[in-house]
Amino acid sequence: MKVAPMVVLMFRDTEGFASAISEALHPDPSSSFTRLEDSFDLSLEGYGIKHIKASATVSHFVDNQGTYKVSIVVMQHYEPPVLACALNEVLNNIAGDKSSLMPTLLVPFLVESSKVKGQSKSLRSDESKPLIFGIRIGENTDIMQALLNKTHEPPPSLQIQLETFACFLHFVRVMKLPTFFLIGQTSQYMENNSTKPHEVIHVIGEILASTTGLQFSKERVVWNPKKTSGESKEPWRALYG
């Protein structure tokens, strides 16, 4: 799979975080970048899965010499165990030829604060910017250092109880893929302030833009949080229709 040296990789979600980031990132008018749209469907039959493919949309940003500079890959949402199979297949294809330069993966997540445990600091409602944790996997390149300077180091006790993140972290460690995770939270502020999730998305988008040479437009961000009733939060009710 042909990708740029920098790959922003996300999973499509019901709230629209991945779509918001991918749509709001675009070429800076002062650059020569153009955007090329693509997609792929990778077979999972090797894992015994015949009716589901590892599917994603891809946006490549290419300069006037035809050189791929940045790729944004948005995978479909998968539940375990298909999640592990699909992610393994995609990462293997992105890594490609081991003799060539390995792309750097930039992986943003927007996580409910209830799923983030062991924080040493929580963000106050009067602080100016959301707290974005940065987790580096692999060697400390210039790109990695720039991202570390723009994010907060997570405390050693930090636990992110999210299946997709845990699976991602496991694979990039085993495969030795240079990866930087950006972790934002949806409920760092008072619950009655509905504008705050937008601010988290904006900060993550601006960090990605400054690293990739793209531009992030806040006005393109569309945030549609999933609204659930109390009953829908109880999985056992689904058994009774």
Side-chain angles (χ1 to χ4, degrees), residues 56-197:
T57 58
V58 188
S59 299
H60 300 292
F61 295 89
V62 185
D63 67 12
N64 55 7
Q65 303 297 317
T67 303
Y68 283 49
K69 294 296 186 179
V70 184
S71 297
I72 301 177
V73 178
V74 181
M75 292 181 60
Q76 294 299 322
H77 173 78
Y78 299 97
E79 296 290 343
V82 177
L83 167 63
C85 302
L87 184 55
N88 185 52
E89 195 67 21
V90 169
L91 291 178
N92 273 313
N93 275 270
I94 287 177
D97 183 3
K98 301 299 183 182
S99 64
S100 62
L101 183 64
M102 195 75 71
T104 297
L105 302 180
L106 311 181
V107 187
F109 276 100
L110 190 61
V111 186
E112 292 181 17
S113 291
S114 61
K115 296 182 182 296
V116 181
K117 308 297 182 182
Q119 294 187 66
S120 59
K121 175 186 178 183
S122 59
L123 196 64
R124 300 190 311 272
S125 60
D126 60 345
E127 287 191 87
S128 59
K129 282 193 174 183
L131 185 69
I132 307 298
F133 287 125
I135 301 174
R136 174 179 60 86
I137 306 297
E139 62 178 314
N140 193 17
T141 62
D142 290 344
I143 294 174
M144 296 290 197
Q145 188 58 51
L147 287 164
L148 286 171
N149 292 338
K150 295 170 184 175
T151 55
H152 293 262
E153 181 181 1
S157 60
L158 185 75
Q159 296 180 13
I160 299 171
Q161 299 175 342
L162 185 66
E163 189 75 33
T164 308
F165 171 77
C167 187
F168 223 126
L169 185 62
H170 171 76
F171 276 117
V172 297
R173 280 176 170 167
V174 171
M175 299 170 70
K176 295 181 170 59
L177 296 177
T179 305
F180 197 94
F181 293 98
L182 295 104
I183 310 296
Q185 299 174 62
T186 59
S187 305
Q188 290 177 312
Y189 296 92
M190 295 170 61
E191 291 296 330
N192 61 358
N193 193 331
S194 61
T195 64
K196 294 306 182 182

Side-chain angles (χ1 to χ4, degrees), residues 2-6 26-28 31-38 58-72 212-214:
K2 184 176 182 179
V3 293
M6 280 191 289
H26 59 95
D28 189 307
S31 74
S32 64
F33 289 4
T34 56
R35 183 170 186 151
L36 304 178
E37 301 295 339
D38 198 1
V58 188
S59 299
H60 300 292
F61 295 89
V62 185
D63 67 12
N64 55 7
Q65 303 297 317
T67 303
Y68 283 49
K69 294 296 186 179
V70 184
S71 297
I72 301 177
T212 58
L214 300 175

